[in-house]
Amino acid sequence: MFPCGHKGYGQGCHRCLQERLLLEQKQQQRRQWENSFAQDPIDLTDLPNHVVVKARYIIAGLQTQTDYRQFGGKRLRHNRSIVSIPVTRNYRMLCRDYGSFLVPQEVLSHEDYNVCKPGGY
Ligand SMILES: [Zn+2]
């Protein structure tokens, strides 16, 4: 019996050691995740994790000249220089078309998108 209450043999409690290592690993992963946003060309910090992952996948694709139509992207009818690419069911990425390449502008939820559509884009 160890001071922590766990039972076992040896110098120290292996279960507590393992828990501590796991916690440190998680903290490090969280730091890496938080730091990773500095690499993004647009702000993705407020988005759910799976949206961030998908958005980065699309951004990387655009950077390597993948056609936006392969991601289901469409030009906005009222502003042909803006392309809207679905990220998930609830989010879309707006990109500005510079002719030979697209530059991501922002990722919006459907609600934000419908609000900003008439004015901003
Ligand atoms: Zn223990």
Side-chain angles (χ1 to χ4, degrees), residues 9-71:
Y9 300 100
Q11 293 275 323
C13 175
H14 288 282
R15 276 172 67 175
C16 283
L17 178 69
Q18 214 159 30
E19 275 174 28
R20 205 161 56 234
L21 288 177
L22 206 69
L23 191 74
E24 277 172 21
Q25 205 175 21
K26 271 190 198 154
Q27 284 170 339
Q28 201 189 348
Q29 280 171 350
R30 188 151 37 111
R31 268 197 303 276
Q32 279 175 352
W33 176 254
E34 282 163 5
N35 290 340
S36 69
F37 288 97
Q39 321 281 321
D40 296 321
I42 52 173
D43 183 20
L44 303 175
T45 48
D46 291 332
L47 302 170
N49 288 6
H50 71 282
V51 178
V52 173
V53 171
K54 188 74 193 296
R56 284 177 179 165
Y57 171 76
I58 294 172
I59 290 169
L62 294 176
Q63 282 169 346
T64 54
Q65 300 291 308
T66 304
D67 194 311
Y68 64 85
R69 278 165 289 219
Q70 287 197 28
F71 297 115

Side-chain angles (χ1 to χ4, degrees), residues 91-110:
Y91 287 87
R92 52 186 63 203
M93 187 187 297
L94 296 180
C95 304
R96 187 172 288 277
D97 185 7
Y98 286 90
S100 52
F101 58 95
L102 289 186
V103 175
Q105 304 290 303
E106 59 186 322
V107 176
L108 295 175
S109 69
H110 270 300

